[in-house]
Amino acid sequence: MPYKAQEGKGYADVASHFRTMIKNGDLAPGDALPSVAEIRDQFGVAAKTVSRALGLLKSEGLVASRGALGTIVEKSPLVISGSDRLARMEKNGLRYAPGETSSGHRVMLRSVQDPDICQALDLEPGTDEVTIRIRVFRQDDRPTSVGVSVYPPHTVSAVPELGDDVRMVKQFDKLYSERTGRDVVKGQRTAYARQASRDELAALEIDAPPHVSVSVLVTAVTFHDDDQALAYWEDVYAPGARVPISQ
């Protein structure tokens, strides 16, 4: 795959370019980065700048030096989930990163009491039924996060596939826009820590005694069109997961 970048960049820009390729799955574990000389020519930077960029990627656990093989992509410690998957699929169509799968797919129709979800979707607690889709993301067959997406009735009316207990072949925002002519906007993604529920611990395969609390990182984001909220996505990450936080 050709590497393209603007000239005159600094070491952070060089590192960001390859970090993004690794996050998006364009560079898989075991792939070699271009040589120092090739990166110098590609970005129009000095060898010292390339060394600093590679050093930064090594400190993040994304790449490693392998002697005559050069700089090799490691198994990524980053967990790409939630709305970041939309950006990756938009760029290269990859639903999963190398070595990544999902399991435990479930679809439910439920009324909700959770105040955060009710506020995000403008619902009355315990009244309106929503469609809830749950799946567990795995890396090398180890659970890394639990993804929960919640859709109010007007979204499911436009995209009835959301109510089917099968994997979606296309992201809901694209289907919604195609069928309604309305743009879907992703809100600010937020992150916070809380105690995991017993169901979340079971999904993440964490064997903790009932009296022990386990803290987890949670990210959440709401999707809208011009008139109303369309979806609430929440991802619960296994303890120790390294999650790149972006808008």
Side-chain angles (χ1 to χ4, degrees), residues 100-161:
E100 187 180 44
T101 58
S102 62
S103 63
H105 293 250
R106 289 183 289 158
V107 178
M108 301 175 290
L109 188 64
R110 297 284 190 277
S111 61
V112 292
Q113 297 285 350
D114 186 291
D116 292 333
I117 297 177
C118 289
Q119 181 178 8
L121 297 179
D122 194 23
L123 300 173
E124 289 294 329
T127 55
D128 296 315
E129 288 190 326
V130 299
T131 297
I132 304 172
R133 298 179 65 90
I134 301 174
R135 61 278 195 204
V136 179
F137 294 103
R138 312 178 73 89
Q139 183 69 37
D140 299 325
D141 205 33
R142 297 179 58 185
T144 56
S145 66
V146 179
V148 179
S149 52
V150 184
Y151 302 93
H154 53 262
T155 305
V156 180
S157 177
V159 188
E161 296 95 325

Side-chain angles (χ1 to χ4, degrees), residues 163-219:
D164 297 334
D165 194 5
V166 295
R167 294 186 185 183
M168 297 284 289
V169 297
K170 195 171 185 179
Q171 291 292 354
F172 95 93
D173 58 328
K174 300 300 183 187
L175 292 172
Y176 184 87
S177 293
E178 289 173 2
R179 295 170 184 177
T180 66
R182 296 173 178 265
D183 292 333
V184 177
V185 178
K186 176 169 67 77
Q188 173 65 55
R189 188 182 183 199
T190 59
Y192 59 96
R194 63 164 168 76
Q195 302 302 316
S197 69
R198 302 311 301 182
D199 287 342
E200 290 165 347
L201 292 177
L204 294 171
E205 299 178 6
I206 297 173
D207 186 15
H211 63 280
V212 173
S213 297
V214 178
S215 296
V216 288
L217 177 69
V218 180
T219 61

